[in-house]
Amino acid sequence: MPAALPSLLAWLAVLLLGRAHPADACSCSPIHPQQAFCNADVVIRAKAVSAKEVDSGNDIYGNPIKRIQYEIKQIKMFKGPDQDIEFIYTAPSTAVCGRLLDTGGKKEYLIAGKSEGNGKMHITLCDLVSTWDSLSPTQKKSLNQRYQMGCECKISRCLSIPCYVSSSDECLWTDWAMEKNNVDGRQAKHYACIKRSDGSCAWYRGMAPPKQEFLDIEDP
């Protein structure tokens, strides 16, 4: 046996083992719930009543693509098409960014994701999916109009203090820096980034609609 053959075989074994065990992780960058709302095609309040695994075509190698199909009961649509959402699709596990929902119709969710048309949408682990009861009163109120008022604004995550805005249409999200990497902190629960009359953006706190004085003010 040539001297180089054992090392070559060992290298091939490592390569094959690496392919046999793909990385079982899905990472998502933290975003403010308003950003998740603005980025989504569809935002609904709903219950999942059943789930089953279905085929969704084939990959480039001819292997079937598996997805979980949730049949849902839509309670309210905050953003999306005129047609109610009947089915939500996601990858079969969190390792490949799938989002698991409790079925049985008892737990209500706020769900944001991408439209697939014909009463269907798709969600991933990186989309906004929260139990309805976990939302603050301000978050629930903001879903109707407040978040939409700031979709032209930019929300930037502050990683460490001090941090500064780079433009007038920017709101600094400081929960990550001020509350030890908390993505569900004070600003996430109680604030919305609102675009004002002069084109600038600023945080607005509370459930009441922004007053005209706030919208017309020139300085953040």
Side-chain angles (χ1 to χ4, degrees):
M1 179 181 295
L5 187 56
S7 59
L8 176 61
L9 292 175
W11 179 83
L12 287 173
V14 170
L15 180 63
L16 292 173
L17 284 172
R19 289 182 177 178
H21 299 280
D24 55 346
C26 177
S27 59
C28 307
S29 298
I31 61 172
H32 190 277
Q34 182 176 356
Q35 285 176 287
F37 175 94
C38 293
N39 292 344
D41 297 327
V42 183
V43 182
I44 58 173
R45 178 182 178 183
K47 298 178 180 180
V49 297
S50 67
K52 65 178 181 180
E53 189 174 79
V54 296
D55 289 336
S56 296
N58 299 320
D59 62 20
I60 59 174
Y61 303 105
N63 301 313
I65 300 173
K66 300 290 185 180
R67 295 200 297 176
I68 301 297
Q69 174 187 280
Y70 289 105
E71 181 182 357
I72 68 159
K73 178 182 179 182
Q74 179 180 303
I75 299 170
K76 183 172 183 178
M77 179 175 287
F78 300 101
K79 182 182 180 182
D82 294 334
Q83 183 180 11
D84 284 356
I85 301 299
E86 299 178 10
F87 298 102
I88 292 178
Y89 294 87
T90 192
S93 73
T94 56
V96 285
C97 290
R99 187 69 189 234
L100 306 182
L101 304 177
D102 285 345
T103 57
K106 294 182 179 180
K107 185 173 290 188
E108 295 184 11
Y109 291 95
L110 173 68
I111 304 172
K114 300 300 181 184
S115 173
E116 293 193 352
N118 299 319
K120 302 174 183 178
M121 65 182 292
H122 179 83
I123 60 173
T124 72
L125 196 63
C126 299
D127 289 313
L128 175 61
V129 179
S130 300
T131 57
W132 185 255
D133 290 342
S134 70
L135 301 177
S136 71
T138 301
Q139 287 174 319
K140 294 176 181 178
K141 195 77 172 179
S142 296
L143 292 166
N144 290 312
Q145 184 184 11
R146 193 83 43 77
Y147 284 162
Q148 189 65 48
M149 293 173 65
C151 280
E152 295 182 12
C153 300
K154 178 183 178 182
I155 300 177
S156 300
R157 181 163 52 104
C158 176
L159 297 176
S160 61
I161 301 297
C163 49
Y164 308 95
V165 295
S166 58
S167 61
S168 62
D169 64 348
E170 184 178 1
C171 292
L172 278 179
W173 181 29
T174 59
D175 287 347
W176 190 263
M178 301 292 290
E179 302 186 30
K180 297 181 178 179
N181 302 346
N182 184 13
V183 297
D184 198 27
R186 180 172 56 93
Q187 284 181 316
K189 283 188 170 295
H190 305 296
Y191 286 72
C193 182
I194 304 296
K195 187 172 184 179
R196 300 189 295 191
S197 301
D198 65 352
S200 66
C201 297
W203 288 116
Y204 182 83
R205 179 179 181 177
M207 294 175 58
K211 295 181 180 180
Q212 196 62 41
E213 292 85 349
F214 174 84
L215 297 176
D216 289 342
I217 196 169
E218 294 183 357
D219 296 323

